[in-house]
Amino acid sequence: MCGRFAQYSSRDEYFESLGLKADEIQYDPEPIGRFNVAPGTKVLLLNERDEELHLDPIYWGYGPEWWDKQPLINARGETAATGRMFKPLWNNGRAIVPADGWYEWKKDGSNKQPYFIYHKKKTPLFFAAIGKAPYSKGHDKEGFVIVTSPSNRGMVDIHDRRPLVLTTDAVREWLSQETTPERALEIAADAAVPEKDFSWHPVSKKVGNIHNQGDELLEEIDDPVA
């Protein structure tokens, strides 16, 4: 977790949820409308540079020069602030992924059934992320990872991990360059949207193919694991 998500709402919808106006933020005007975002692609990432907010297309994955494996796409919130790989990113590269939901695969014997998970009110979600700052378009595989947390209650039947989804009130402080790493730990612990605020339903296995990108991927199916 988290290996696929959806980022299809307009920028204005994301900004409105955060109480931002379009003229308060610098962003690249490329279209969104992505219903099946996969690792290894560029994802619109909200970040702060020079006391201004930016929305940039950044590579989803992080693999520094000394890392000889596939780039990592997630970081456990419990250890990211102290581990060798992620501590510098936690200290200086906190960011936010605006999203509309994410996909998880539930095992049922030899089958894996995908589910789409989203806010019950169908409002935008804001995933905590960390990465190689200052963010630009030229970091190759030193991009960002999504911070995850345990699915302690209600969601563990789908998966034992989930993105760390922050409340809208906590986003600006998480992003602020003035926020200390210690304070960021407190935000991660205290400002996560609780499991009870999410809903989920089974969706087509077509989501497993990154070439499938239509909004039909979000539709609930009647015959899961079929």
Side-chain angles (χ1 to χ4, degrees):
M1 164 342 71
C2 162
R4 295 286 177 84
F5 66 91
Q7 189 182 68
Y8 57 79
S9 290
S10 71
R11 293 167 179 77
D12 288 346
E13 288 176 285
Y14 293 135
F15 298 163
E16 183 179 348
S17 291
L18 294 173
L20 296 175
K21 297 180 180 179
D23 59 1
E24 293 183 67
I25 188 168
Q26 303 294 319
Y27 62 89
D28 190 315
E30 64 179 39
I32 305 181
R34 299 178 67 187
F35 297 90
N36 191 8
V37 180
T41 62
K42 288 190 175 180
V43 176
L44 289 177
L45 191 71
L46 188 62
N47 60 98
E48 182 179 289
R49 299 196 301 274
D50 301 321
E51 299 183 352
E52 289 187 332
L53 292 178
H54 296 256
L55 189 66
D56 302 306
I58 305 297
Y59 177 85
W60 181 13
Y62 180 70
E65 291 184 4
W66 55 267
W67 185 253
D68 59 359
K69 304 175 184 178
Q70 282 286 105
L72 300 174
I73 61 171
N74 298 317
R76 287 177 172 260
E78 306 94 308
T79 58
T82 56
R84 174 191 177 194
M85 176 75 84
F86 295 126
K87 183 177 180 179
L89 311 186
W90 183 275
N91 292 352
N92 302 302
R94 292 185 303 276
I96 289 289
V97 179
D100 297 276
W102 75 96
Y103 300 96
E104 290 292 358
W105 278 257
K106 179 181 179 182
K107 291 183 179 180
D108 187 348
S110 60
N111 291 306
K112 289 185 178 181
Q113 172 60 52
Y115 284 76
F116 184 61
I117 304 172
Y118 52 96
H119 198 284
K120 286 181 177 178
K121 296 181 179 179
K122 297 187 177 180
T123 54
L125 306 179
F126 299 97
F127 300 163
I130 54 176
K132 184 67 176 293
Y135 290 104
S136 70
K137 300 177 185 178
H139 279 310
D140 292 325
K141 292 182 172 56
E142 289 188 305
F144 75 92
V145 296
I146 293 173
V147 179
T148 68
S149 62
S151 294
N152 295 322
R153 301 175 304 278
M155 203 178 294
V156 73
D157 57 329
I158 302 296
H159 204 278
D160 63 348
R161 305 289 302 178
R162 68 181 181 97
L164 175 59
V165 182
L166 296 181
T167 62
T168 54
D169 292 340
V171 167
R172 293 298 294 268
E173 188 178 9
W174 171 265
L175 291 172
S176 175
Q177 294 171 312
E178 296 182 0
T179 299
T180 65
E182 294 76 19
R183 175 56 187 155
L185 275 171
E186 295 175 353
I187 294 171
D190 301 334
V193 177
E195 283 87 349
K196 66 180 180 61
D197 288 357
F198 296 99
S199 291
W200 52 87
H201 60 250
V203 295
S204 169
K205 291 186 177 181
K206 291 180 180 179
V207 72
N209 186 332
I210 62 173
H211 298 295
N212 295 325
Q213 289 290 337
D215 60 1
E216 69 275 5
L217 297 177
L218 309 179
E219 295 176 1
E220 184 172 1
I221 61 172
D222 297 325
D223 54 348
V225 194

